[in-house]
């Protein structure tokens, strides 16, 4: 087994499930120690239980700027000098058209997908630059590029993630710190369950008759990015299941 991340430290937000939990597993297998951050402490404990001594559990809501700054400044020895940050915390809520959508849900997506991501990044970036190594990986979405009915604010937040990542790359010129955005298409996680307010049956129908991406597929892609030679920066990767593709523009006639 490759140990490309031996003696490295990664911090993964949204680590209690989905892409985040899969990244914890992949990074530990590659030799890293991992700070697993997320809101659900019980789920984080389950993830850490698979890797005794290799994972530090950090209950954290990325929307709470004070808690983020305090917690990340107080990471214990052995986990404090973060080399790889994976901003995986994020969510989609609702699928209503803009004129009927919930402003509360819009705000929650903006606070998590945008504000939380930049707060965590800003807290860890100075240390990476000071130590002369680091990699920020942000989880975007194909929704950043391809709009769909009901995607409104969710798609807009992911477009923000993409552009923020590319602007990070511009700011980091002259340092060895890298920045990457990963943009998955359809992937079976808790994404649709959350979007549909816990309606597991409705969420399951999203993937009927096709094989979506898995969390492990996305984690493997992220692991590949962070284990490239130090002079290589992967700016962006867009990936979809084979069963997903693009549609023609729709036209309302009459």
């Amino acid at each position: 087994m490759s140990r490309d991340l031996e003696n490295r430290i990664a911090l993964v937000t949204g680590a209690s499930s989905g892409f985040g939990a899969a990244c914890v597993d992949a990074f530990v297998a590659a030799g890293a120690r991992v700070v697993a951050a997320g809101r659900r402490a019980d789920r984080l404990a389950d993830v850490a239980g698979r890797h005794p001594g290799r994972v530090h559990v950090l209950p954290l809501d990325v929307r709470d700027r004070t808690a983020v700054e305090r917690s990340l400044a107080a990471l214990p020895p052995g986990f404090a000098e973060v080399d790889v940050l994976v901003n995986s915390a994020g969510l989609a809520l609702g699928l209503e058209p803009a004129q009927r959508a919930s402003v509360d849900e819009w705000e929650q997506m903006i606070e998590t997908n945008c504000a939380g991501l930049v707060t965590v990044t800003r807290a860890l970036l100075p240390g990476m630059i000071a130590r002369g190594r680091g990699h920020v990986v942000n989880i975007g979405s194909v929704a950043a590029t391809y709009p769909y009915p009901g995607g409104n604010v969710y798609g807009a937040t992911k477009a923000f993630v993409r552009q923020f990542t590319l602007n990070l790359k511009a700011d980091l010129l002259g340092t060895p710190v890298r920045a990457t955005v990963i943009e998955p298409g359809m992937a079976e996680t808790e994404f649709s369950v959350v979007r549909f307010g816990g309606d597991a049956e409705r969420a399951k129908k999203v993937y009927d008759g096709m094989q979506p991406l898995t969390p492990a597929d996305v984690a493997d892609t992220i692991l590949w990015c962070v284990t490239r030679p130090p002079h290589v920066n992967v700016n962006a990767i867009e990936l979809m299941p084979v069963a997903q593709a693009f549609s023609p523009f729709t036209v309302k006639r009459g």
Side-chain angles (χ1 to χ4, degrees):
M1 178 183 295
S2 172
R3 305 292 285 181
D4 290 317
L5 296 181
E6 195 74 50
N7 299 318
R8 298 298 190 182
I9 299 165
L11 187 146
V12 181
T13 68
S16 59
S17 65
F19 301 148
C23 281
V24 174
D25 293 337
F27 286 1
V28 171
R33 297 189 301 280
V34 182
V35 179
R39 292 181 298 109
R40 295 173 291 184
D42 56 335
R43 294 279 197 94
L44 294 175
D46 290 341
V47 173
R50 299 197 290 267
H51 311 290
R54 306 292 297 179
V55 176
H56 173 71
V57 169
L58 183 65
L60 184 65
D61 186 337
V62 297
R63 296 174 297 173
D64 185 339
R65 177 178 171 182
T66 300
V68 167
E69 292 173 346
R70 181 179 61 246
S71 298
L72 299 187
L75 290 171
F79 290 94
E81 296 186 352
V82 174
D83 299 293
V84 179
L85 165 63
V86 179
N87 281 307
S88 182
L91 77 167
L93 296 171
L95 205 55
E96 291 292 314
Q99 64 271 24
R100 295 201 301 270
S102 163
V103 175
D104 288 340
E105 290 182 344
W106 280 3
E107 288 184 345
Q108 188 175 347
M109 286 187 281
I110 294 167
E111 289 169 0
T112 306
N113 301 358
C114 300
L117 180 146
V118 301
T119 300
V120 175
T121 302
R122 179 61 179 80
L124 293 177
L125 206 54
M128 291 181 176
I129 292 171
R131 290 186 294 274
R133 65 179 188 272
H135 199 151
V136 177
V137 180
N138 295 323
I139 306 296
S141 169
V142 295
T145 304
Y146 311 105
Y148 58 86
N152 43 69
V153 166
Y154 173 71
T157 64
K158 292 305 185 177
F160 173 92
V161 171
R162 179 183 179 87
Q163 195 63 25
F164 176 67
T165 308
L166 298 180
N167 277 280
L168 272 182
K169 180 69 178 71
D171 286 344
L172 293 168
L173 184 65
T175 82
V177 180
R178 302 186 287 183
T180 300
V181 61
I182 304 295
E183 300 181 316
M186 293 178 72
E188 190 165 12
T189 64
E190 293 181 353
F191 175 88
S192 291
V193 176
V194 172
R195 162 165 268 174
F196 297 138
D199 188 338
E201 196 60 34
R202 185 181 178 190
K204 185 178 179 182
K205 290 178 181 177
V206 172
Y207 311 105
D208 276 354
M210 58 88 66
Q211 183 176 344
L213 300 175
T214 68
D217 294 330
V218 175
D220 182 60
T221 303
I222 294 169
L223 182 62
W224 181 82
C225 291
V226 302
T227 54
R228 294 310 84 211
H231 69 286
V232 176
N233 189 93
V234 179
N235 295 334
I237 289 184
E238 180 184 289
L239 63 157
M240 285 180 172
V242 171
Q244 184 181 21
F246 317 102
S247 298
F249 287 115
T250 58
V251 178
K252 174 67 171 69
R253 302 185 188 277

